[in-house]
Amino acid sequence: MRIGLLGTGNVARALAHGWSAAGHDVLLGSRKPEERSDLDFPVAGLHETAAHAEVLVNATPGTVSLDLLHSLGAPALAGTLLIDVGVGLSDDYTELSHPNSSLGEQIQRAFPLTPVVKTLCTMDSTVMIAPDGLDGASTVFLSGDDTEAKRTTGRLLTDLGWPPSSQLDIGGITTARGQEHFALLFMGIAGGLGAHTFNIKVVPRRPA
């Protein structure tokens, strides 16, 4: 698939590596593409990236994502699957910028013709593309209102190394706030472990 990644930071570059290795055509989108010629992947302007993509990925800081998407405009995004991995946090990582909602919900509300799927925001970029590097299987979550969009996202997660058994659909886009609010617990766990490369696993009750 043609995947356009909005952003050029650690997350965008990691996902570009993962999906490129799986055979997808990836393009990074930047407000200033001329300043990002040092990357291993092609970089274009935001509008060109959106026009190129069959799937768009929001890998920008959650505090600026909505403004960036509004700069593209609803017509440019209409009908295109948007995978949102952003989380809005304060500079010191202690407060959420969407404490009573989620970025995923706000994007879906602002762009009703764009199916939004929230995923991959409960882990760091290393785990996103190498879940088999952990000491055992773990869980990646999907939130979204469009069933087909979640199916496509699931296939793209599989391409990153997440088998269907590790993918958990937790419901509509309103459940994205649970994924994003985990960021505060993530920071606490990282402090306790002294490392950011970890993930969680949902362990259901043993069958009777």
Side-chain angles (χ1 to χ4, degrees):
M1 300 188 77
R2 298 188 308 277
I3 302 176
L5 296 116
L6 303 175
T8 57
N10 291 337
V11 171
R13 296 198 306 272
L15 291 173
H17 277 286
W19 279 319
S20 177
H24 295 286
D25 175 4
V26 299
L27 179 65
L28 296 175
S30 171
R31 286 191 175 112
K32 299 179 179 179
E34 68 281 356
E35 297 180 5
R36 301 314 314 260
S37 59
D38 57 326
L39 303 182
D40 295 332
F41 298 96
V43 183
L46 299 176
H47 286 87
E48 182 181 344
T49 301
H52 167 86
E54 296 173 272
V55 176
L56 273 175
V57 180
N58 174 43
T60 63
T63 51
V64 303
S65 297
L66 273 169
D67 288 342
L68 183 145
L69 292 170
H70 279 301
S71 75
L72 287 171
L77 302 176
T80 301
L81 165 58
L82 178 69
I83 298 174
D84 175 36
V85 303
V87 177
L89 283 168
S90 59
D91 290 341
D92 61 0
Y93 302 107
T94 62
E95 296 184 9
L96 294 162
S97 58
H98 307 96
N100 299 308
S101 180
S102 69
L103 175 62
E105 290 174 86
Q106 294 194 12
I107 293 173
Q108 187 63 90
R109 190 178 305 119
F111 302 95
L113 300 181
T114 301
V116 177
V117 178
K118 189 81 186 189
T119 192
L120 290 171
C121 69
T122 54
M123 63 197 74
D124 78 351
S125 59
T126 304
V127 177
M128 290 179 186
I129 63 168
D132 58 353
L134 299 178
D135 186 17
S138 59
T139 304
V140 61
F141 304 98
L142 297 93
S143 301
D145 296 333
D146 188 292
T147 301
E148 186 55 38
K150 283 196 279 193
R151 286 197 191 102
T152 300
T153 302
R155 291 193 293 269
L156 290 173
L157 290 173
T158 300
D159 289 341
L160 293 177
W162 296 95
S165 59
S166 290
Q167 301 177 27
L168 184 59
D169 182 345
I170 59 174
I173 195 62
T174 57
T175 65
R177 68 182 65 181
Q179 293 198 54
E180 294 183 26
H181 290 198
F182 177 75
L184 300 180
L185 180 55
F186 178 94
M187 297 308 299
I189 295 171
L193 289 177
H196 290 83
T197 305
F198 63 89
N199 197 26
I200 59 173
K201 180 180 181 179
V202 174
V203 182
R205 184 176 181 176
R206 191 187 307 254

